Every structure is written in structure tokens, then in C-alpha cells.
Amino acid sequence: MRLLIVEDEKRLALSLAKGLTAEGYAVDVVHDGLEGLHRATEDPYDLLILDIMLPGMNGYRVCSALRAAGHDVPILMLTAKDGEYDEAEGLDTGADDYLTKPFSYVVLVARVKALLRRRGTGASPVHVVGALRVDTAARRVHIDEEEKVLTAKEFSVLEQLVVRAGNVVSKSEILEHVWDFAYDGDPNIVEVYISALRRKLGAELIRTVRGAGYRLEAPR
């Protein structure tokens, strides 16, 4: 899952990015509203964490502009304000949730996970492919009854495959959603994680579709 943080308090933004990256998300950070709007309209994000008091364009206007343009990405708004009218204004512009500073990091992560689950329009977070069972909400993986321990990045790569099980997922799509915008390393890093998943889960689960990407499917 790829997240965008739009927050002008740089220490807070970097702290959030570090924590969410450790949770397995790909995280990009910008510090003003105009850049945030540009990124959110040009790149495929799964969720935005959007401050209200921003230089260039405030969070209300960013949120309103995204909704007016038809973008339905979940938006969690952050603000130092604490009045009920501020919350109402944020939600009226199209935000999905609202968190007042100072806030607990644990609460923020819980809100992020809830919004991402909600985006699935009620779909079950549990995906079963043959003997493989992946719970994307609890971030747990089982083969038959045995739980497999994955790193955060391994789980994120697997998640991209399992939510589209049976379909081909390209290397570039995996990079976009698992690594952040600033990643400029070797794109073959995806192959390294695919190999790790095959070792842990079984080589027959993930098929390479030459020239196209990877497909997760039950062994025949």
C-alpha cells in the first residue's frame, strides 16, 4: 500500500513516514498543499494523510479539489485545531476521517488500517488461494495451519499479488505500491522479494509470466 503524507511540520512528517514504513507501507512525504495536490492527482496512492494548515494551499482546499476531480482516495485529515466546526468542515470537504494533534501514533495507525479496509467496500480481508490464507487486516499468513512469518516488505509484496490472485501483476505496479516515490534503486529488487516469498510459501504459488509480471495461483 502506498501512502502520501502532506504535512509542513517536517519532524512530524518524517517521524510518521518512518513509523509507517516500518509497518510495511510505501510512504511519500511533501510539505505544502500545492505539491500534495499535484502528487495525489498524478500518482496512484491508496491513502492520504493530509494536514489542514499548509503553505500554498490548505488541506480543506486540497481535499475539495481532489473530490471535485473525482478522486476517491481515502483522506485522513490532521490538524492542531480542536473545534467541532473544524472537524465538520474537514468532513464536508470530503475527508474520510479526522485526527486532532497531538495524537497517539497507535491511534493514527489504527485509523489508517480502518480506512484502507473500508476502501475494500466491505470485501473480506481474508484471501484464500489453495493452501495459502492471507489476512490483510491482521497481516498474518498461513499455509494450511502453519503460520508463516514474513517481513513487512515481503507481506506488502504478497498483498499486491493476493488481492489480484489469478491476474498478472507487473513489476512496475509492485514497485509503485510497495516502494516510495523516491526509490531509484534497481527495480530487480522485486525479484529478490518474490524469491524470498517462494522460499517461505512454496515456489509453485507465484508464477512468472515472462515479459508481464507475476501471478499468484493455486498449484495444479
Side-chain angles (χ1 to χ4, degrees), residues 103-160:
F103 51 81
S104 160
Y105 173 74
V106 173
V107 171
L108 178 132
V109 171
R111 299 283 186 90
V112 166
K113 291 180 177 178
L115 288 174
L116 291 172
R117 286 197 300 271
R118 195 184 307 167
R119 195 183 193 192
T121 61
S124 171
V126 178
H127 303 265
V128 178
V129 181
L132 174 70
R133 184 176 185 272
V134 180
D135 187 332
T136 56
R139 298 180 75 81
R140 300 180 72 177
V141 179
H142 290 80
I143 295 287
D144 292 322
E145 297 302 316
E146 181 184 358
E147 184 165 5
K148 300 293 183 178
V149 178
L150 304 183
T151 67
K153 272 286 191 285
E154 287 169 352
F155 186 90
S156 294
V157 172
L158 177 62
E159 184 177 26
Q160 293 305 308

Side-chain angles (χ1 to χ4, degrees), residues 20-39:
L20 290 167
T21 298
E23 295 282 341
Y25 300 108
V27 183
D28 295 330
V29 177
V30 296
H31 302 297
D32 71 80
L34 288 172
E35 179 64 15
L37 179 61
H38 174 73
R39 286 284 189 90

Side-chain angles (χ1 to χ4, degrees), residues 153-198:
K153 272 286 191 285
E154 287 169 352
F155 186 90
S156 294
V157 172
L158 177 62
E159 184 177 26
Q160 293 305 308
L161 297 173
V162 78
V163 298
R164 294 171 58 186
N167 297 311
V168 176
V169 183
S170 70
K171 184 185 296 185
S172 63
E173 288 174 310
I174 295 172
L175 279 170
E176 283 178 354
H177 287 272
V178 179
W179 279 267
D180 62 31
F181 181 80
Y183 180 76
D184 60 357
D186 188 343
N188 290 328
I189 188 70
V190 174
E191 296 175 12
V192 174
Y193 281 89
I194 293 292
S195 295
L197 289 172
R198 285 171 170 156

Side-chain angles (χ1 to χ4, degrees), residues 24-94:
Y25 300 108
V27 183
D28 295 330
V29 177
V30 296
H31 302 297
D32 71 80
L34 288 172
E35 179 64 15
L37 179 61
H38 174 73
R39 286 284 189 90
T41 54
E42 295 296 322
D43 296 313
Y45 290 101
D46 298 290
L47 182 139
L48 267 61
I49 298 175
L50 177 64
D51 190 29
I52 290 178
M53 304 303 290
L54 291 166
M57 175 183 284
N58 70 39
Y60 295 136
R61 292 176 59 199
V62 172
C63 183
S64 181
L66 287 171
R67 296 302 187 233
H71 293 276
D72 62 354
V73 60
I75 296 175
L76 172 61
M77 297 195 91
L78 305 179
T79 182
K81 296 183 177 182
D82 58 2
E84 61 179 321
Y85 296 108
D86 299 313
E87 179 175 354
E89 185 174 356
L91 297 175
D92 283 346
T93 58

